[in-house]
């Protein structure tokens, strides 16, 4: 087993878990395996590990479906939290649809997507919150 890298001067351990392209075979499965191995080295077990793998699986699937790549999965670990990021190199910021003022989003079986929303709903039904903060993409910073 590879030892966990020591924290940087700011107390945060940063690890690039895996990089891949749109041509990588079985990318989603390989990303899950890489994440499980990395989280194991940080001592994550049980529901924390399960929640993280499920959430990141959705982020990887979204990146593969909606962005050209290449892609990168990173972990940042502090004493208080573990954050996983999945980033693509697409310079375009995705268009966010306007949500109606009425009822919240209801998944429609004939349409794809809504995986992260469905994940959060299922976890909520089981009175669980993701024990793992996650985000799918970061908007590039703009300077005036």
């Amino acid at each position: 087993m590879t030892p966990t890298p020591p924290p940087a001067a700011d107390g945060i351990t940063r690890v690039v878990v895996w990089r891949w392209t749109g041509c990588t075979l079985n990318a989603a499965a390989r990303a899950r395996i890489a994440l499980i191995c990395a989280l194991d080295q940080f001592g994550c077990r049980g529901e924390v590990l399960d929640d993280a793998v499920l959430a990141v699986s959705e982020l990887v699937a979204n990146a593969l479906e909606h962005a050209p790549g290449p892609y990168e999965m990173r972990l940042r670990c502090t004493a208080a939290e573990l954050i996983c990021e999945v980033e693509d190199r697409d310079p375009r910021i995705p268009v966010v649809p306007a949500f109606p003022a009425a009822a919240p989003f209801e998944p429609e079986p004939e349409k794809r997507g809504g995986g992260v929303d469905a994940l959060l709903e299922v976890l909520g039904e089981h009175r669980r919150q993701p024990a793992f903060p996650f985000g799918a993409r970061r908007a590039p910073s703009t300077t005036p």
Side-chain angles (χ1 to χ4, degrees):
M1 179 161 87
T2 306
T4 303
D10 59 4
I12 299 174
T13 301
R14 293 172 178 85
V15 179
V16 173
V17 177
W18 196 47
R19 291 184 178 117
W20 72 100
T21 70
C23 297
T24 303
L25 296 177
N26 302 315
R30 293 173 70 186
R32 284 191 298 275
I33 292 167
L35 180 64
I36 289 167
C37 292
L39 291 176
D40 180 64
Q41 290 182 13
F42 281 107
C44 292
R45 306 280 186 276
E47 288 183 356
V48 172
L49 179 69
D50 295 342
D51 289 350
V53 171
L54 184 58
V56 172
S57 292
E58 284 297 323
L59 299 178
V60 168
N62 285 346
L64 288 167
E65 185 170 337
H66 300 293
Y71 314 94
E72 183 173 276
M73 180 172 39
R74 296 183 297 267
L75 289 175
R76 290 186 293 145
C77 183
T78 68
E81 64 185 358
L82 184 65
I83 299 169
C84 185
E85 301 171 322
V86 174
E87 181 178 358
D88 62 69
R89 300 288 193 258
D90 192 342
R92 298 169 294 164
I93 297 175
V95 176
V96 178
F99 288 100
F105 173 74
E106 290 288 328
E108 296 178 23
E110 65 273 6
K111 292 186 180 178
R112 292 195 62 183
V116 173
D117 294 329
L119 165 66
L120 294 175
E121 184 177 324
V122 168
L123 290 173
E125 288 172 2
H126 294 280
R127 296 179 185 219
R128 287 176 54 196
Q129 294 180 352
F132 192 84
F134 58 89
R137 78 180 352 259
R138 196 180 300 181
S141 60
T142 57
T143 52

